[in-house]
Amino acid sequence: MKLRKVTAASAAVLALSLAATACGSDDKDDSGSSGGGKKITVGIKFDQPGIGQKTPQGYTGFDVDVATYVAKKLGYGEDQIEWKESKSADRETMLKRGDVDFIAASYSITPEREQQVDFAGPYLLAHQDVLIRADDDSIKAAADLNSKKLCSVTGSTSAQNVHDKLAPKAQLQEYPTYSACLTGLQNKAIDALTTDDSILAGYASQSQFKGKFKLAGLKMTNENYGIGVKKGSDLKDKINKALESMVSDGSWQKAVDSNFGPANYKNEPAPKIGDVKS
């Protein structure tokens, strides 16, 4: 009987010990491995080469590099970043609902968007431009697009804006994707593709297109890329400090060169925080 009592007591002590160990383990997991927290959720594009792209090997692009740097400065390691696709039409809603902590997705700062969300940055000044074949010297100004076949991606207003404001005789050709436009450009079915120069440079930098296309350098609009956060979020100031650090330590230029360099993208200098060009 004595032996059974001792055994029962020992079992009770062992059970309490295991429970305490389990609780301690949970607390450690909650603290995170390097950021002092669980995860940070970041919105990016999944389908823009050079900007934000999901590949079998992971996520690549300039916005991915910027977001990773910012997250690190906020205290999160790469393994603590949860990437979420942020399509253009969904970005404000995702921030308002709290689906993401911040968005870096070729997200141009505009007065209309600033009424709904806050922006850190800008961190890149892009321009609407056209991509043409490398051996084409006939397009040196927007007016030269008159009578040219200009690719319009379904749902995009870029080509229509050029037609309405700069080259009324441009022949708009609608294609389902930018990749389809590039194939048409390569096959001479179209003469030019238009959208932000950074996006064009990203597509042209893909290995299968290297050396085949060039940017015309028309700079038809200013596109100030910012990092979107929920209205009133204290992340804005923290992200701005991270962006300043990225520029000062050379990481920003390194990211530009590695993602856009193959297309000979002549980028603007890193913009100053709060300097939004109209």
Side-chain angles (χ1 to χ4, degrees):
M1 181 68 71
K2 234 181 230 186
L3 180 61
R4 289 171 63 185
K5 281 183 179 179
V6 171
T7 304
S10 299
V13 170
L14 178 60
L16 287 170
S17 176
L18 288 172
T21 302
C23 290
S25 175
D26 286 346
D27 289 342
K28 185 176 180 181
D29 288 342
D30 283 347
S31 69
S33 59
S34 60
K38 294 179 181 179
K39 294 279 186 181
I40 188 166
T41 306
V42 181
I44 57 169
K45 291 293 180 69
F46 277 15
D47 59 353
Q48 286 185 346
I51 299 288
Q53 185 177 28
K54 182 179 181 180
T55 73
Q57 293 75 39
Y59 300 89
T60 65
F62 179 70
D63 282 348
V64 175
D65 290 345
V66 170
T68 301
Y69 186 99
V70 167
K72 184 177 180 181
K73 287 294 184 180
L74 293 176
Y76 296 88
E78 288 188 41
D79 60 332
Q80 292 176 292
I81 301 173
E82 180 183 350
W83 302 106
K84 274 198 174 182
E85 183 175 18
S86 297
K87 295 180 180 179
S88 296
D90 300 334
R91 291 177 296 202
E92 287 81 31
T93 300
M94 291 179 73
L95 288 169
K96 288 178 180 179
R97 282 196 313 227
D99 297 340
V100 291
D101 294 295
F102 67 83
I103 290 178
S106 55
Y107 201 1
S108 295
I109 301 171
T110 68
E112 295 76 20
R113 289 170 178 164
E114 286 184 304
Q115 291 178 8
Q116 302 185 64
V117 301
D118 285 341
F119 285 98
Y123 63 92
L124 183 73
L125 176 60
H127 306 281
Q128 185 177 347
D129 200 356
V130 294
L131 192 70
I132 56 180
R133 288 182 291 276
D135 60 355
D136 186 353
D137 294 322
S138 66
I139 300 174
K140 296 179 179 178
D144 294 331
L145 293 167
N146 282 308
S147 301
K148 298 285 188 180
K149 294 177 181 177
L150 182 63
C151 189
S152 173
V153 175
T154 305
S156 170
T157 59
S158 298
Q160 191 66 50
N161 288 340
V162 172
H163 178 272
D164 293 347
K165 299 175 183 178
L166 300 170
K169 294 182 180 179
Q171 301 172 31
L172 302 188
Q173 306 288 316
E174 189 170 277
Y175 282 64
T177 64
Y178 287 115
S179 295
C181 282
L182 285 169
T183 300
L185 186 57
Q186 187 174 355
N187 297 335
K188 299 187 177 182
I190 61 169
D191 299 306
L193 161 62
T194 185
T195 188
D196 296 357
D197 53 8
S198 56
I199 297 173
L200 294 173
Y203 276 101
S205 294
Q206 296 177 95
S207 58
Q208 68 268 38
F209 295 130
K210 285 180 182 176
K212 296 180 180 179
F213 306 118
K214 65 182 179 182
L215 291 160
L218 303 187
K219 296 184 178 181
M220 293 180 281
T221 63
N222 290 329
E223 304 296 335
N224 303 271
Y225 288 2
I227 292 181
V229 296
K230 191 173 184 177
K231 201 77 174 172
S233 172
D234 61 358
L235 278 180
K236 177 180 175 179
D237 290 339
K238 295 176 182 178
I239 292 173
N240 278 334
K241 290 178 181 177
L243 293 174
E244 289 176 335
S245 177
M246 188 176 188
V247 173
S248 64
D249 70 14
S251 299
W252 183 88
Q253 189 60 52
K254 183 179 178 181
V256 169
D257 294 340
S258 62
N259 289 291
F260 305 132
N264 295 318
Y265 176 54
K266 296 178 176 60
N267 65 281
E268 297 278 5
K272 292 183 179 179
I273 299 301
D275 184 14
V276 179
K277 304 291 186 185
S278 59

